[in-house]
Amino acid sequence: MRSLLFIPADAPKKLEKGLTSGADALIVDLEDSIAPDRKKEARESAASFLQEATAKADRPRILVRVNGIETGLTDADLDAVVPGKPDAIMLPKAVGGPSVIHLDAKLTAREAIVGLPDGAITIVALATETAAAMFVAGSYAGSSARLTGLTWGAEDLSAELGAEANRDKDGNFLDPYRLARTLCLAGAAAADVQAIDTVYVDFRNMDGLRRECEEARRDGFTGKLAIHPGQVPVINEVFTPTPAAIAKARAVVAAFAAAPGVGVVGIDGVMFDRPHFARAQALLARAKAAGLG
Ligand code: COA
Ligand code: MG
């Protein structure tokens, strides 16, 4: 998933628009974009959208962001949305692997009730939204086979830290958030799941968005959260492997295929070893997912 577009669950017009936005995934939000006294309406709206949208043949993946386990609202959220068969649940304010295990158990029971196969609904966790979560970013590894991605957020973390800002005057994340970003990236790599970069809230600033996408891709993220449909084309473009990158990856895979049992090869005077081979294979898989070869 290159682009994952957040949509408040109580906004049917935006939900409808999301379907044709070009986003690889929609995140129907029951959490922070919904006022506390609107949670019930939001659940109902999410449920009816899921019933209609998940039946469509050609559609983006559909995630639902539930309220965090600490709120006591998660069970009612899941009761409302699991019958609509979302592809995944996004878990905010996760505090390491135990939070994912907790959600896994809640999903297992509900999948059985609605007749879905065990494990059908996957999990993407917001890995570093709380201070405590920063210290256990390595514990997502091995928590659940449902876990397919980790992402991170700067807004809740800065509120919890008591910070006045999370970006400097040039728009660059400050140290605590750069650490959260890195812990998310390392936590995702350790868990062998997708690392997804956080939202870029200045949604009319396409140059800033592009720069942040390019920095994320450079560092190992393979997708980014969006909050506005206008951000989707930029995110998709930056996270789609370029023809040059695909050609290079094919050359690496071909060189290893031509030398079975060998751990290291040379191409055009540059050394490639097993990690390069794994990276090339991952890039080709992403190219394929984007419809390129
Ligand atoms: N998903 C789908 N459609 C969206 C959208 C979204 N996230 N954000 C805006 N749109 C639609 C608008 O409804 C509008 O549609 P229209 O042209 O048919 O009227 C169009 O895109 C242009 O919207 P625009 O006027 O530029 O923005 P806005 O002022 O209506 O909305 C936000 C700004 C931030 C409120 C809105 O983008 C939004 O709700 N984003 C998601 C917020 C969220 O979920 N946050 C939680 C995670 S941090
Ligand atoms: Mg939040």
Side-chain angles (χ1 to χ4, degrees):
M1 296 182 285
R2 299 163 300 179
S3 51
L4 300 88
L5 175 62
F6 269 116
I7 312 179
D10 63 352
K13 220 185 86 197
K14 289 182 189 170
L15 290 169
E16 218 40 62
K17 207 175 171 83
L19 288 171
T20 54
S21 65
D24 288 341
L26 308 182
I27 309 167
V28 180
D29 188 28
L30 296 173
E31 200 218 12
D32 284 347
S33 69
I34 305 297
D37 62 355
R38 297 266 306 157
K39 298 290 183 191
K40 191 166 164 290
E41 287 84 346
R43 286 184 194 118
E44 285 163 7
S45 167
S48 66
F49 175 70
L50 283 164
Q51 291 295 352
E52 170 218 340
T54 56
K56 289 189 198 296
D58 188 21
R59 62 166 177 86
R61 292 178 68 76
I62 301 179
L63 288 69
V64 175
R65 181 166 73 169
V66 294
N67 291 279
I69 288 169
E70 77 295 344
T71 62
L73 301 174
T74 320
D75 287 312
D77 291 344
L78 293 172
D79 286 343
V81 300
V82 168
K85 304 185 169 80
D87 297 298
I89 298 296
M90 175 174 274
L91 181 66
K93 308 196 177 66
V95 188
S99 300
V100 174
I101 294 170
H102 207 140
L103 177 60
D104 180 312
K106 290 177 185 294
L107 285 170
T108 298
R110 287 172 176 84
E111 283 170 342
I113 291 166
V114 303
L116 275 172
D118 185 11
I121 301 176
T122 59
I123 297 174
V124 173
L126 273 150
T128 55
E129 277 195 309
T130 72
M134 304 273 276
F135 296 94
V136 291
S139 69
Y140 292 100
S143 59
S144 164
R146 293 181 191 274
L147 187 69
T148 58
L150 290 184
T151 182
W152 68 285
E155 308 306 321
D156 290 278
L157 184 60
S158 57
E160 189 172 330
L161 295 179
E164 291 174 2
N166 51 34
R167 292 177 184 261
D168 68 14
K169 61 176 174 23
D170 300 321
N172 301 307
F173 277 118
L174 294 162
D175 279 353
Y177 314 97
R178 296 206 73 79
L179 176 61
R181 176 181 182 276
T182 301
L183 288 172
C184 170
L185 189 60
D192 196 19
V193 300
Q194 185 186 9
I196 302 162
D197 196 26
T198 195
V199 294
Y200 187 73
V201 291
D202 189 2
F203 62 83
R204 307 264 185 242
N205 179 354
M206 294 302 148
D207 293 339
L209 173 67
R210 180 176 292 275
R211 191 189 60 174
E212 205 164 274
C213 288
E214 286 171 349
E215 289 173 0
R217 187 190 64 195
R218 174 198 68 196
D219 291 346
F221 290 93
T222 54
K224 188 167 176 71
L225 302 176
I227 50 163
H228 190 283
Q231 296 182 317
V232 169
V234 173
I235 296 175
N236 283 351
E237 188 193 322
V238 175
F239 288 100
T240 301
T242 62
I246 294 171
K248 193 171 146 197
R250 285 203 178 119
V252 172
V253 169
F256 275 94
V262 164
V264 61
V265 296
I267 305 172
D268 297 335
V270 180
M271 183 203 78
F272 291 89
D273 58 10
R274 302 305 294 187
H276 294 103
F277 180 44
R279 211 168 69 196
Q281 286 176 311
L283 186 135
L284 293 178
R286 290 207 310 282
K288 196 165 172 219
L292 304 170

